[in-house]
Amino acid sequence: MNSLVLAVIGVAMVLAGYVLYSKYLASRVYKLDPVRTTPAHAMQDGVDYVPTNKYVLWGHHFTSVAGAAPIVGPAVAVIWGWLPAFLWVTLGTVFFAGMHDLGALWASVRNRGQSIGALSGRYIGKRGRNLFLVVIFLLLLMVNATFATVIAGLLVDTPTAVIPAWGALVVALLIGQAIYRYQVSLPIVSVVGVVALYGLILLGDRFPIELPETVLGLSASAFWVVVLFLYAGVASTLPVWVLLQPRDYINGLQLFIALGILYVSVLIATPTMVAPAINDAVPDDAPSLVPLLFVTIACGAVSGFHGMVSSGTSSKQLAKETDGRFVGYFGAVGEGLLALGAIIATTAGFRTLADWEAVYTSFSAGGAGTFVQGGGAIVNSGLGLPESLSATILATTAVLFAATTMDTGVRLQRYVIQEAAELVGVRPGTVGATLIALATGVGLAFGAGADGSGGLTIWPLFGTTNQLLAGLTLSIIVIMLMRKRRPVLPVLLPLVFLLAMTVYALVVQLGGWYREGNWLLVVLDVIILIAALWVIVEAAAGMNRTRKAPPADDDAEDDALAAAQR
């Protein structure tokens, strides 16, 4: 099949979802109110609660939720063939991810910018909240440790990406000052920022920085892991307007340009999908397509991590409630386009089926490197850019988004640690909570891997944990809608499907790891499975109580609480 046909169909589907379905959700289900005061205004503090231009906020939200996962997941899942991955990414983006991300943003805005973990206590109960926090903490631990490993690997394998990856931080700091201190026009800042970023990419391609085998007694990869955690710790404590917002905004523009380069290259080169639509000759170690497809591709179809970003940082910066449609739903559309690009790059970026099969020899063979390799070949064929420069652009894209997700993840983990500590009457403060988040992340990275790759040890549980959190987030949204007597089927049906597939996948993985004798993953799988079943029961009980109770005027209660905060 010609990849151009697949690209046109996929792009049309997700854009139609934004134009049509998101409008229905915004007006009929969530009923976004353009005049309602948001937490960004009611609780403005200049650090976390900051009213933000919707385009800048979209950049933060989109790049924070994107990261490396919508590249890695599809790059692995195409081992079953490109058709299942394509259907789950496109349909998942339209009916699952966009609805989930917008819903989580709306739920948090209507509750003073509280996180999903805090909302679970209000709508599900204290026991459900405690278990919710366990799941969230484990997920963030996986994200932070693993993304550090992924970024470090890309910086080692593609040394031409080192200069643009770190130079982008300087660009972002200058953009933040230009926007907030000197009130420079956003279009001017955008053009200058993009030109500067691509200038750094050209510079990096000309002057690659390759570390020696050992640095300060650490391998090159381990050294980058340590540096990344130090960076994330500092970045996560800065006011959002200093680095987080401008960096994510300029990264968002860069990603769309990179995607544009990839899609234009597909338009010109029209490469053939050399991988099969349905792969009947999967490697022996590949698990069954159902249910593992639905947890292997999480980000790019639907992801619980998005709900944490929506309720952890984005809700505190939303200037107007109706901006949530663009920030939340269109942010999911952007990630769906990235996942679609990853599918095309990893199935049409090879010359022959034999070349593709030579790479996909095992279930874990695909990844960010495969995306860079395949995408670079397509860009080289379509636009004639040197393969080195093409690879640098795509590697820089992957590094920048993984880095934004990582430091947002550390910030979110700090929130979770503070919430959990307050339950037992302890207040660790911003610095203390951040140090705990860094210590646990570094501990996992080096405790389970001397080279700092320990995050990969528990990465196989990321998909199930992530989808479990998405299902639990949807359960909170369902209860809120039931209390307001709003339509619930657009949320309830995806909720049931996600929880069923996730629990099924946990059981399948548990059996496989038990037979392999992988006791660490067996123990973690059992913990997550018990937490999942327990919270499902609590959520079902909460829905049943809500169904029998009279309608609740949550908005009036939330307004009173917001007024008290002011």
Side-chain angles (χ1 to χ4, degrees):
M1 181 178 179
N2 192 302
S3 60
L4 178 59
V5 175
L6 196 71
V8 170
I9 294 173
V11 171
M13 288 176 66
V14 297
L15 290 181
Y18 175 71
V19 172
L20 301 174
Y21 192 55
S22 73
K23 185 176 182 180
Y24 164 76
L25 292 173
S27 61
R28 299 292 301 278
V29 178
Y30 301 129
K31 295 187 178 180
L32 303 183
D33 185 351
V35 299
R36 180 181 175 81
T37 301
T38 63
H41 291 285
M43 304 168 66
Q44 184 172 355
D45 61 5
V47 179
D48 294 318
Y49 292 84
V50 179
T52 304
N53 177 288
K54 72 175 183 179
Y55 298 105
V56 175
L57 181 56
W58 170 84
H60 153 68
H61 180 84
F62 169 44
T63 54
S64 294
V65 301
I71 294 173
V72 175
V76 172
V78 294
I79 202 165
W80 289 302
W82 57 260
L83 183 59
F86 171 79
L87 292 175
W88 177 226
V89 163
T90 51
L91 296 176
T93 296
V94 173
F95 296 107
F96 287 72
M99 173 273 297
H100 168 276
D101 295 10
L102 174 56
L105 186 58
W106 165 78
S108 180
V109 167
R110 289 297 175 97
N111 285 273
R112 308 182 315 286
Q114 288 184 321
S115 71
I116 287 297
L119 294 183
S120 63
R122 178 177 184 182
Y123 293 103
I124 296 179
K126 292 182 178 180
R127 289 191 301 270
R129 175 195 59 197
N130 296 341
L131 290 167
F132 220 112
L133 291 175
V134 170
V135 173
I136 291 173
F137 183 84
L138 286 174
L139 179 62
L140 288 171
L141 189 61
M142 294 177 197
V143 167
N144 295 334
T146 306
F147 277 27
T149 302
V150 170
I151 298 167
L154 286 169
L155 292 176
V156 171
D157 295 339
T158 315
T160 53
V162 173
I163 288 179
W166 293 106
L169 298 181
V170 178
V171 174
L173 288 169
L174 294 175
I175 287 175
Q177 297 297 315
I179 293 175
Y180 288 99
R181 284 193 182 276
Y182 301 106
Q183 307 297 313
V184 179
S185 169
L186 186 60
I188 294 176
V189 169
S190 302
V191 171
V192 173
V194 168
V195 170
L197 186 55
Y198 273 86
L200 288 169
I201 289 175
L202 293 172
L203 185 65
D205 188 59
R206 182 76 180 273
F207 301 101
I209 295 180
E210 191 167 356
L211 296 181
E213 290 188 7
T214 59
V215 182
L216 300 177
L218 298 172
S219 68
S221 178
F223 174 77
W224 282 129
V225 168
V226 172
V227 171
L228 285 162
F229 269 108
L230 291 175
Y231 152 74
V234 173
S236 66
T237 58
L238 293 174
V240 293
W241 66 269
V242 173
L243 179 61
L244 182 141
Q245 283 182 357
R247 180 213 53 212
D248 291 356
Y249 173 67
I250 201 66
N251 285 353
L253 293 179
Q254 192 271 340
L255 174 59
F256 261 77
I257 293 172
L259 282 177
I261 291 173
L262 179 60
Y263 281 112
V264 169
S265 299
V266 170
L267 176 64
I268 295 172
T270 62
T272 300
M273 312 285 289
V274 298
I278 303 291
N279 189 10
D280 295 324
V282 296
D284 293 337
D285 68 337
S288 60
L289 187 150
V290 178
L292 269 299
L293 169 69
F294 303 104
V295 297
T296 301
I297 300 179
C299 300
V302 61
S303 165
F305 181 75
H306 294 199
M308 293 160 55
V309 175
S310 293
S311 65
T313 58
S314 298
S315 64
K316 298 175 176 62
Q317 302 170 60
L318 197 70
K320 190 164 60 174
E321 195 172 88
T322 47
D323 290 348
R325 180 187 171 210
F326 181 76
V327 173
Y329 197 102
F330 196 67
V333 167
E335 187 170 72
L337 292 175
L338 177 57
L340 177 61
I343 292 171
I344 294 173
T346 53
T347 56
F350 296 85
R351 295 184 184 278
T352 65
L353 174 59
D355 290 339
W356 183 83
E357 290 177 334
V359 172
Y360 281 88
T361 56
S362 67
F363 182 64
S364 59
T370 315
F371 166 75
V372 172
Q373 177 187 350
I378 292 174
V379 172
N380 172 257
S381 176
L383 296 179
L385 294 181
E387 286 198 27
S388 172
L389 180 57
S390 301
T392 300
I393 292 173
L394 295 178
T396 301
T397 299
V399 168
L400 290 178
F401 290 107
T404 59
T405 300
M406 184 181 170
D407 64 58
T408 298
V410 172
R411 186 183 290 261
L412 292 172
Q413 195 167 22
R414 183 238 301 173
Y415 294 158
V416 172
I417 291 169
Q418 289 175 311
E419 287 179 7
E422 288 176 0
L423 295 177
V424 295
V426 178
R427 294 182 179 273
T430 298
V431 174
T434 301
L435 290 175
I436 294 172
L438 294 177
T440 53
V442 173
L444 173 61
F446 286 92
D451 60 349
S453 62
L456 296 178
T457 302
I458 62 172
W459 180 253
L461 276 169
F462 169 79
T464 45
T465 309
N466 199 22
Q467 301 304 64
L468 169 62
L469 183 58
L472 299 179
T473 300
L474 292 179
S475 69
I476 293 174
I477 297 172
V478 166
I479 291 175
M480 287 184 64
L481 294 173
M482 291 175 67
R483 286 166 66 95
K484 300 174 185 296
R485 298 301 187 261
R486 306 266 184 86
V488 297
L489 285 182
V491 184
L492 184 60
L493 293 179
L495 162 64
V496 172
F497 178 83
L498 270 183
L499 291 181
M501 288 296 106
T502 301
V503 172
Y504 185 11
L506 281 168
V507 172
V508 170
Q509 289 178 317
L510 180 61
W513 290 324
Y514 178 80
R515 288 190 294 272
E516 295 172 4
N518 193 331
W519 303 115
L520 173 62
L521 292 181
V522 166
V523 171
L524 289 173
D525 192 300
V526 170
I527 292 172
I528 295 170
L529 181 59
I530 292 173
L533 295 174
W534 196 337
V535 177
I536 288 171
V537 171
E538 295 286 348
M543 291 179 197
N544 188 51
R545 290 193 301 269
T546 303
R547 182 178 61 84
K548 295 178 180 179
D553 189 2
D554 282 344
D555 291 345
E557 180 182 350
D558 296 340
D559 288 341
L561 289 170
Q565 289 282 353
R566 292 196 296 272

